Amino acid sequence: MKADISFKNINRLAIPALIAGIAEPLLSITDTAIIGNIDENATESLAAVGIVGAFISMLIWVFGQIRSAISSIISQYVGANKIDQIQKLPIQAIAIIITGSLCILAISYPFAKQIFQFYNASGQVLEYCITYFKIRIFGFPFSLFVFAIFGVFRGLQNTFYPMIIAIIGALLNIVLDLIFVYGIEGYVPAMQIQGAAYASVIAQITMAVIAVVLLIKKTTISLKFSLPFHTEIPNLLGMIGNLFIRTLALNTALYFATSYATDYGPAYIAAYTIGINIWLLGAFMIDGYSSAGNILSGKLLGAKNYKTLVELSTKLFKYGISTGSIIALVGFVFYNFIGEIFTKEPEVLTQFYNVFWIVLLTQPISAITFIFDGMFKGMGKMKYLRNVLLFSTGLVFIPTLLFFDYLDLKLTAIWIAFTLWIMARGIPLIIKFRQLFLPLAKD
């Protein structure tokens, strides 16, 4: 099967995927910016949003991997011209992930205090964590539902509808954040951190409703559940299992980073919260090209078009490093302005500016890592991705963090560890890809 990997077609997939990909971090980054500018207890509230955001992001990344698994299988069937054989799989996969998410909600809700004590939260910060979490966790099943539907659209080589869903959700979240956090005198009381949580949940529910409507109206995929399970379900569950372990390793790194930053004090965790949200926003912006690689690589592998697959990797490498460099350059130009968007607290800004340059320098490195990560997901190479993440977290991130923390570098230690971690994730993927497909491309 011929596949168009022109600049135009790659960006036709990448740009909508980029916009769709920033929806979830934009929910958190909006909460961070607005909460950081409330009049009372801004530092404690910002710290709580960061801690809870880290935990919920962990849950979404662990269970949201179904998006990549669904996309991989569907795109390979599209490449092999067998799309009619995959009709029952999406709704069965969605049912599995929703069941799992409801179980997680039921288990985590009663133990909110213990969860965030585990993150070293205490006092006022812990109280705010519990308040924020016990509202926002109800959006978790809806987020996973949307992720699963995004996976279906991606497998069908369509990133436009996920973009529409994401834009509506992000804009609604911003509007509701402003209304609920600050209030409208005489109409809506100022709910501060609770308001931010309600805004996120309502935005996630709205996105889920729109996703259902578009899937029904714009595709031939049925949402009618039926048995027996599709023959690809064991393969899907295997992919999810490997991605589950992989994402646990990823979030182990995030847990260590958040826990250490929290232990340094409220100003440090607040500064870390700003930094990690900006890093995640950059990562999800790069995810546009990663998603294009995910979508096209699965299709090309299904068609056994190895020469074009190698050409795709070369193009995406160039696009990714260019995009990452632009993000870093913009960050350096607006260095001070960016920090003041999130908070006016001098102590928080001081800690943030001390490490923001490292956050920016990681952007081109992250771009390459995420692009090859996306391609491996599209090709269904989940086992190798799992092993790379286990290696980079256990043998690179944690030892690096412990060493530089011992030197009392605090937030600098965390971001040095993140930088080396990203490099340890990306380099093996590039080497493995070339070993696998350069010989096949020459045949």
Side-chain angles (χ1 to χ4, degrees):
M1 169 178 279
K2 293 183 178 180
D4 183 0
I5 61 165
S6 65
F7 179 79
K8 179 179 179 181
N9 191 51
I10 289 174
N11 280 282
R12 179 185 65 81
L13 295 170
I15 293 174
L18 181 158
I19 296 170
I22 65 173
E24 183 58 37
L26 197 57
L27 294 180
S28 294
I29 210 167
T30 301
D31 288 354
T32 301
I34 292 176
I35 288 296
N37 285 284
I38 60 177
D39 294 332
E40 298 180 6
N41 301 316
T43 299
E44 290 79 5
S45 297
L46 187 58
V49 168
I51 296 167
V52 175
F55 179 69
I56 290 180
S57 292
M58 181 271 290
L59 291 177
I60 290 173
W61 284 347
V62 167
F63 292 93
Q65 297 301 325
I66 195 169
R67 175 181 66 178
S68 296
I70 292 174
S71 175
S72 173
I73 293 173
I74 293 178
S75 63
Q76 289 181 48
Y77 271 73
V78 169
N81 284 322
K82 297 178 180 179
I83 188 62
D84 57 308
Q85 298 179 20
I86 205 74
Q87 291 295 317
K88 289 172 61 177
L89 180 69
I91 186 58
Q92 292 175 349
I94 289 170
I96 291 169
I97 200 65
I98 292 301
T99 301
S101 69
L102 292 174
C103 291
I104 294 299
L105 190 158
I107 293 170
S108 63
Y109 186 89
F111 297 101
K113 181 177 180 180
Q114 290 78 5
I115 289 169
F116 298 111
Q117 284 177 330
F118 186 64
Y119 277 82
N120 289 328
S122 60
Q124 189 72 61
V125 172
L126 177 60
E127 290 181 21
Y128 284 155
C129 282
I130 295 169
T131 298
Y132 184 65
F133 174 77
K134 284 195 169 184
I135 299 169
R136 193 169 169 198
I137 190 60
F138 283 97
F140 175 60
F142 296 98
S143 286
L144 291 191
F145 179 79
V146 171
F147 267 48
I149 292 182
F150 280 10
V152 176
F153 278 120
R154 285 188 179 191
L156 296 172
Q157 315 293 290
N158 185 319
T159 56
F160 178 76
Y161 293 127
M163 177 188 71
I164 297 299
I165 297 165
I167 289 173
I168 293 172
L171 291 177
L172 179 62
N173 184 69
I174 292 170
V175 172
L176 292 179
D177 253 342
L178 292 169
I179 293 172
F180 291 165
V181 172
Y182 299 134
I184 299 177
E185 190 172 352
Y187 296 95
V188 180
M191 292 182 278
Q192 298 189 349
I193 195 169
Q194 289 177 298
Y198 282 123
S200 294
V201 172
I202 293 171
Q204 287 162 328
I205 293 172
T206 302
M207 290 169 69
V209 172
I210 297 170
V212 170
V213 172
L214 287 175
L215 191 67
I216 293 172
K217 297 287 187 182
K218 302 297 183 180
T219 75
T220 59
I221 299 296
S222 173
L223 289 179
K224 182 180 178 181
F225 184 87
S226 64
L227 295 173
F229 282 112
H230 193 279
T231 54
E232 286 285 359
I233 285 291
N235 183 28
L236 178 78
L237 294 176
M239 288 186 186
I240 293 172
N242 283 321
L243 289 171
F244 180 87
I245 296 170
R246 172 184 184 272
T247 312
L248 285 178
L250 185 154
N251 283 285
T252 296
L254 290 177
Y255 162 73
F256 269 87
T258 304
S259 180
Y260 271 63
T262 303
D263 198 43
Y264 297 147
Y268 288 91
I269 182 59
Y272 168 78
T273 297
I274 298 170
I276 197 66
N277 275 288
I278 292 173
W279 182 78
L280 288 171
L281 183 63
F284 277 89
M285 290 175 70
I286 298 297
D287 192 56
Y289 286 113
S290 175
S291 297
N294 179 292
I295 293 164
L296 292 171
S297 63
K299 183 178 180 180
L300 291 168
L301 185 65
K304 299 183 179 180
N305 191 342
Y306 305 119
K307 182 178 180 180
T308 306
L309 182 60
V310 171
E311 291 175 0
L312 173 68
S313 72
T314 302
K315 288 189 175 184
L316 288 176
F317 184 96
K318 295 176 182 177
Y319 300 159
I321 202 166
S322 298
T323 304
S325 298
I326 291 170
I327 293 172
L329 180 61
V330 170
F332 278 115
V333 170
F334 297 100
Y335 200 87
N336 292 327
F337 172 75
I338 290 172
E340 292 172 355
I341 293 173
F342 296 95
T343 184
K344 300 297 187 294
E345 295 287 335
E347 189 176 357
V348 176
L349 287 172
T350 296
Q351 299 304 329
F352 171 69
Y353 291 141
N354 283 343
V355 296
F356 187 36
W357 63 275
I358 308 177
V359 178
L360 296 175
L361 288 179
T362 63
Q363 294 302 318
I365 303 169
S366 298
I368 302 307
T369 297
F370 294 148
I371 281 172
F372 277 87
D373 189 271
M375 292 188 69
F376 270 72
K377 286 179 181 177
M379 295 183 294
K381 307 293 184 182
M382 312 307 188
K383 184 177 179 180
Y384 189 73
L385 289 173
R386 178 200 69 190
N387 293 340
V388 167
L389 234 302
L390 289 171
F391 162 79
S392 59
T393 300
L395 298 181
V396 178
F397 182 87
I398 293 175
T400 302
L401 175 61
L402 293 176
F403 174 74
F404 286 103
D405 174 73
Y406 175 76
L407 297 179
D408 200 32
L409 295 184
K410 296 184 177 178
L411 292 186
T412 302
I414 292 173
W415 285 106
I416 291 174
F418 268 130
T419 303
L420 296 181
W421 179 65
I422 287 292
M423 293 175 67
R425 289 174 56 189
I427 293 171
L429 296 182
I430 296 172
I431 294 172
K432 184 69 172 179
F433 180 88
R434 294 176 68 84
Q435 287 176 342
L436 285 174
F437 297 109
L438 281 181
L440 293 173
K442 293 176 182 177
D443 293 343

